[in-house]
Amino acid sequence: MNIAAIPSPTESVWHLLGFPIRAYALCIIAGMVVATLLMEQRLRHRGVAPWTSLDMVVWAVPFGIIGARIYHLITSPQEYFGAGGDPVRALYIWEGGLGIWGAVAGGAVGAWIASRQIGLPLSVFADALAPALPVAQAIGRFGNWFNNELYGKVTTLPWGLEVHEMDSANPGHATVIDGEAVTKPDLYHPTFAYEVIWNLGVAALVWLLDRKFKFGRGRAFALYVMAYTAGRLWIEMLRVDEANTFFGIRLNVFVSIVVFAGALIYFLVVKGPREYVVPIDAPETAPEPSDAPASDVSQVDVTGGEKDAARKMPIAYQVVSRERFDEYQRTHILPPAEKNDTVSATASDTPSSDES
């Protein structure tokens, strides 16, 4: 007996001055904005200069979108390249069809390029993104809800999703007969909602465990991958949209298993203390006092002094221990490393991690 029928929107495209505004795109953009803000906050706590996240996003997002589309085309090619397919539609990303693992792989390439330019260890970015990415995914899933797509099997649970018949002649709108939007005859598993809830739970899990155990060297991101794939595994098996299968099982199920195993191995094998970053040219001694008379106006610092120097964008970063990081934050002078302090390197040879 269904006691809670979840309605679906009848429109996913609106027009403003003749320009189409698509709900799918709005959801993806909103997810990106929220993830960037969350990542920015975590990067700052690790010592990264303000709004470095935007430099990362400029590279990671375009590469992520390209990777996501390529993954979708590889795993579901028949709609575009099979008999009766339309190859040009492979470019129509606004119609949906973005694979998360392609997005992660492509985004990683873009982030690596940005990291090299900024001089920041890639894993600092990855760990800062770890709880933010599932939040973005949760927001993005509402785009599938607007599109009336990626729902699950017919359900008799106390809840179910109403799905509209979408009008192929009027994309983004439900078929209308006698002024009423046409719905499919049954109720379906709201897999978009399952994934929204699961992803928000993943974000909370990663944030809390990272805060408690202070993961280092990309382990927070590996934890996100494990938690996400565990949920994607069972949610994927509920879906009824067309997908390529292997031994009768959806291909994405196998991908989730393989990716989970890889993340688990990384999480167990890679060890290391939590790391923090400071500018590679951080001063290790206080500046020499000036011999100029106090009345010499030409010697007065009107630029903001140490505060401005601390705010400028570093040319690169070095990884330091928590103790040295705290001291640098307090004095803007980097104390010498202790003999047993092994957490010290440049961005080019040692990865780092983040905490919220």
Side-chain angles (χ1 to χ4, degrees):
M1 176 181 178
N2 293 103
I3 59 176
I6 304 171
S8 291
T10 59
E11 293 181 290
S12 62
V13 180
W14 306 275
H15 288 81
L16 179 63
L17 301 177
F19 184 79
I21 307 298
R22 304 179 189 277
Y24 186 86
L26 293 177
C27 292
I28 295 294
I29 292 171
M32 291 178 181
V33 171
V34 172
T36 300
L37 294 176
L38 293 174
M39 180 180 65
E40 170 68 20
Q41 184 258 354
R42 287 171 61 84
L43 284 173
R44 291 192 188 190
H45 284 172
R46 304 306 299 143
V48 181
W51 299 114
T52 300
S53 60
L54 297 181
D55 297 309
M56 306 297 293
V57 166
V58 165
W59 284 96
V61 168
F63 275 82
I65 292 174
I66 293 172
R69 190 58 172 178
I70 290 175
Y71 179 87
H72 173 71
L73 297 177
I74 291 174
T75 56
S76 302
Q78 56 276 2
E79 183 178 352
Y80 310 96
F81 308 111
D86 183 1
V88 175
R89 291 186 59 241
L91 303 175
Y92 296 173
I93 61 173
W94 55 85
E95 293 184 351
L98 299 174
I100 179 59
W101 299 122
V104 171
V109 173
W112 177 80
I113 295 173
S115 295
R116 298 290 292 181
Q117 293 185 338
I118 297 169
L120 180 71
L122 178 60
S123 62
V124 171
F125 168 74
D127 279 342
L129 182 63
L133 183 55
V135 174
Q137 291 174 261
I139 296 173
R141 277 303 178 197
F142 282 98
N144 301 129
W145 176 57
F146 273 96
N147 283 352
N148 285 252
E149 63 184 2
L150 305 188
Y151 49 88
K153 302 173 183 177
V154 173
T155 180
T156 56
L157 291 173
W159 62 86
L161 178 68
E162 294 179 344
V163 179
H164 293 102
E165 295 279 2
M166 301 305 285
D167 189 350
S168 59
N170 188 16
H173 296 80
T175 299
V176 176
I177 297 179
D178 295 331
E180 294 290 332
V182 178
T183 59
K184 294 180 181 291
D186 299 296
L187 295 179
Y188 301 84
H189 280 288
T191 50
F192 88 92
Y194 296 163
E195 192 159 342
V196 168
I197 296 170
W198 185 272
N199 285 336
L200 293 178
V202 169
L205 176 71
V206 173
W207 182 76
L208 289 171
L209 292 183
D210 186 39
R211 185 181 180 90
K212 179 178 177 62
F213 295 106
K214 304 187 187 314
F215 297 127
R217 300 188 64 187
R219 298 178 77 215
F221 192 83
L223 177 63
Y224 147 71
V225 172
M226 287 188 290
Y228 173 72
T229 51
R232 183 63 183 265
L233 184 66
W234 65 268
I235 294 173
E236 188 73 27
M237 296 180 72
L238 289 175
R239 285 168 44 173
V240 294
D241 53 294
E242 291 186 8
N244 288 334
T245 60
F246 190 63
F247 292 115
I249 300 175
R250 294 168 70 95
L251 181 60
N252 280 334
V253 171
F254 289 102
V255 173
S256 294
I257 294 172
V258 171
V259 173
F260 177 91
L264 176 61
I265 293 171
Y266 183 92
F267 186 84
L268 295 176
V269 170
V270 175
K271 304 292 182 181
R274 167 150 293 186
E275 300 154 321
Y276 297 80
V277 297
V278 299
I280 198 170
D281 56 353
E284 297 183 355
T285 58
E288 294 293 333
S290 174
D291 294 332
S295 60
D296 189 346
V297 178
S298 65
Q299 299 299 320
V300 176
D301 185 356
V302 296
T303 64
E306 289 183 354
K307 290 185 178 180
D308 280 349
R311 285 197 297 264
K312 70 179 182 180
M313 182 67 69
I315 59 174
Y317 293 88
Q318 58 178 310
V319 177
V320 299
S321 65
R322 175 63 184 267
E323 293 73 21
R324 298 179 74 202
F325 174 78
D326 288 344
E327 183 66 15
Y328 177 76
Q329 291 291 303
R330 188 177 67 85
T331 66
H332 299 302
I333 298 173
L334 183 64
E338 301 292 338
K339 289 184 178 180
N340 59 350
D341 184 4
T342 60
V343 186
S344 182
T346 63
S348 61
D349 54 27
T350 298
S352 177
S353 65
D354 174 56
E355 69 175 345
S356 57

